[in-house]
């Protein structure tokens, strides 16, 4: 990544993305308080307490547009002119994030704390009306840095709300129900459905502590691995790719449904940059690995479900349940992956009733090292 590209990224960056601007604690608290989640991908929830998994919920929109640094050209031909706009493609964005990540100091602590806000959209038929709800769930996990410790988790359903203004109008005409029933996919291929009931009001938080699998296993990376193994993953894109592909078996991480190698690497590499406690050098290598994957395109400037600004990159996946766009929302100025999202571009299968370009689900991430669980 050249200094010129980094300069363009800096100049194009919205003020909210400036890493030098401090965010007060009240704002941070409010940001977390806005969290509301529960997602279709929650049925493939990262079951880390028993069998931790690699699952991303990513998404996108149909058109893939490059991020452009906008400049103003004066009307006076004699006046000094700004440089021409520079298109920042997915590779540029990901390499910028890699460079920033590699320069970030390593954190320390007794536990790796990951907070994930899941949001999932479900169609509802109630009172003769059809509308879509957004179900939200918050999941916090504290994974010990040393063997023989306990893993802690806290999960809370945060209720549902109509997904859009039109959905709210239909929900109100249906009597504004505070409890609804939806059909939830439960099989690996999402062909079997079961009924689930969701409340509009938040539920109680559930806290759980459990010993590590085998006393030291903390995550699933094609196999159960220790924290030491996670922290020892390769720090160059070529060696990291080689190591990851040792566990690629031709199918997805959570089912036996076929998945092309590059799509699998996008999914797994995405998890490395979103919330696994890898070293900053490994995370930088994962960003560079993603930058080298074919078919990954820039969507441009977006905001994640928490309202945080970033740049989205995405890959397309063709499934029995439609053509999906998997999206990662990146803050290249901080070298952080903020969120993953999934949009169904061409609905089919269990998604056949949804309009094209419907959001299926999203997950936003906040991670840090800490010395105390449940903090």
């Amino acid at each position: 990544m050249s200094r010129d590209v980094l300069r363009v990224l800096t100049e194009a960056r919205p003020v909210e993305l400036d890493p030098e601007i401090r965010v007060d604690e009240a704002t941070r608290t409010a940001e977390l308080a806005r969290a509301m989640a529960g997602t279709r991908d929650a049925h493939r929830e990262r079951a880390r307490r028993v069998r931790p998994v690699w699952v991303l919920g990513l998404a996108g929109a149909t058109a893939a547009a490059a991020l452009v640094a906008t400049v103003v050209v004066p009307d006076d031909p004699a006046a000094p002119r700004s440089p021409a706009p520079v298109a920042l493609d997915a590779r540029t964005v990901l390499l910028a994030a890699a460079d920033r990540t590699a320069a970030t100091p390593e954190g320390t602590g007794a536990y790796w704390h990951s907070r994930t806000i899941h949001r999932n959209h479900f169609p509802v038929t109630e009172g003769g009306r059809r509308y879509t709800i957004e179900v939200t769930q918050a999941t916090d996990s504290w994974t010990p840095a040393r063997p023989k410790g306990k893993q802690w988790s806290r999960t809370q359903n945060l209720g549902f709300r109509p997904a859009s203004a039109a959905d709210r109008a239909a929900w109100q005409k249906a009597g504004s129900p505070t409890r609804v029933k939806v059909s939830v996919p439960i099989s690996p291929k999402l062909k079997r459905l079961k009924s689930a009931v969701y409340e509009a009001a938040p539920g109680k938080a559930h806290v759980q502590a459990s010993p590590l699998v085998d006393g030291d296993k903390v995550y699933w990376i094609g196999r159960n691995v220790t924290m030491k193994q996670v922290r020892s993953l390769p720090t160059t894109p070529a060696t990291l790719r080689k190591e990851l592909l040792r566990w690629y078996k031709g199918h997805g991480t959570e089912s036996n449904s076929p998945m092309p190698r590059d799509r699998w690497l996008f999914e797994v590499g995405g998890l490395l940059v979103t919330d696994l406690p890898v070293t900053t050098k490994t995370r930088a290598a994962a960003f560079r690995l993603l930058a080298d994957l074919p078919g990954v395109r820039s969507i441009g400037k977006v905001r994640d479900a928490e309202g945080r600004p970033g740049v989205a990159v995405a890959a397309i996946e063709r499934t029995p349940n439609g053509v999906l766009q998997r999206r990662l929302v990146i803050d290249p100025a901080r070298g952080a992956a903020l969120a993953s999202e999934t949009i169904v571009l061409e609905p089919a299968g269990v998604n056949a009733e949804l309009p094209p370009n419907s959001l299926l689900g999203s997950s936003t991430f906040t991670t840090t090292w800490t010395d105390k669980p449940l903090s």
Side-chain angles (χ1 to χ4, degrees), residues 108-114 141-143 368-375:
T108 59
Y111 293 86
W112 177 251
H113 177 206
S114 176
S141 63
W142 291 265
T143 303
T368 188
W369 286 101
T370 182
D371 288 325
K372 295 180 179 180
L374 303 178
S375 56

Side-chain angles (χ1 to χ4, degrees), residues 48-54 143-147 151 212-233 243-244 246-247 271-272 276-278:
R48 296 200 177 110
R49 301 319 81 168
V50 179
R51 181 182 180 273
V53 298
W54 271 358
T143 303
R146 297 182 179 276
Q151 292 181 337
L212 300 181
V213 175
D214 298 331
D216 63 354
K217 304 301 190 301
V218 293
Y219 294 101
W220 173 261
I221 305 182
R223 58 170 182 163
N224 280 316
V225 295
T226 66
M227 180 66 79
K228 182 178 179 179
Q229 289 170 323
V230 171
R231 300 286 291 171
S232 300
L233 283 171
E243 177 69 14
L244 296 180
R246 291 176 58 195
W247 315 112
L271 184 55
L272 293 184
L276 279 188
V278 296

Side-chain angles (χ1 to χ4, degrees), residues 97-169:
D99 287 348
R100 178 67 73 174
T101 297
T104 303
E106 290 287 350
T108 59
Y111 293 86
W112 177 251
H113 177 206
S114 176
R115 179 172 176 81
T116 308
I117 307 298
H118 304 286
R119 291 174 173 83
N120 209 19
H121 286 199
F122 293 100
V124 176
T125 300
E126 190 84 26
R129 303 286 178 175
R130 286 187 58 81
Y131 53 90
T132 299
I133 61 170
E134 179 180 85
V135 180
T136 309
Q137 183 183 66
T139 301
D140 288 87
S141 63
W142 291 265
T143 303
R146 297 182 179 276
K148 307 302 181 183
K150 287 186 177 181
Q151 292 181 337
W152 292 81
S153 66
R154 180 174 60 211
T155 303
Q156 182 180 16
N157 289 321
L158 299 176
F160 77 80
R161 65 181 182 183
S164 68
D167 292 313
R168 177 169 294 279

Side-chain angles (χ1 to χ4, degrees), residues 39-47 53 55-57 188 190 253-254 259 267 326 342:
T39 136
R40 185 175 307 242
D41 287 340
H43 303 290
R44 299 185 300 156
E45 173 74 28
R46 292 178 172 80
V53 298
V55 179
L56 285 183
L190 305 180
T253 58
E254 291 306 298
M259 180 177 287
E267 179 171 313
R326 308 288 195 177
T342 302

Side-chain angles (χ1 to χ4, degrees), residues 4-21:
D4 287 342
V5 173
L6 286 174
R7 176 181 58 78
V8 171
L9 270 172
T10 300
E11 293 174 351
R13 179 182 62 211
V15 66
E16 310 98 297
L17 285 175
D18 189 343
E20 302 303 324
I21 294 179

Side-chain angles (χ1 to χ4, degrees), residues 151-209:
Q151 292 181 337
W152 292 81
S153 66
R154 180 174 60 211
T155 303
Q156 182 180 16
N157 289 321
L158 299 176
F160 77 80
R161 65 181 182 183
S164 68
D167 292 313
R168 177 169 294 279
W171 171 74
Q172 290 172 337
K173 289 179 180 179
S176 302
T178 57
R179 173 182 289 189
V180 298
K181 181 184 292 186
V182 303
S183 295
V184 179
I186 58 173
S187 71
K189 293 185 178 181
L190 305 180
K191 290 185 177 180
R192 293 178 55 205
L193 302 175
K194 71 173 183 179
S195 294
V197 175
Y198 290 107
E199 303 277 354
K204 293 182 178 180
H206 297 279
V207 176
Q208 181 179 354

Side-chain angles (χ1 to χ4, degrees), residues 321-324 342-348 351 354-360:
N321 296 299
V323 177
L324 307 180
T342 302
I343 286 178
V344 56
L345 303 181
E346 300 175 16
N351 296 321
L354 297 174
N357 304 318
S358 294
L359 175 68
L360 291 183

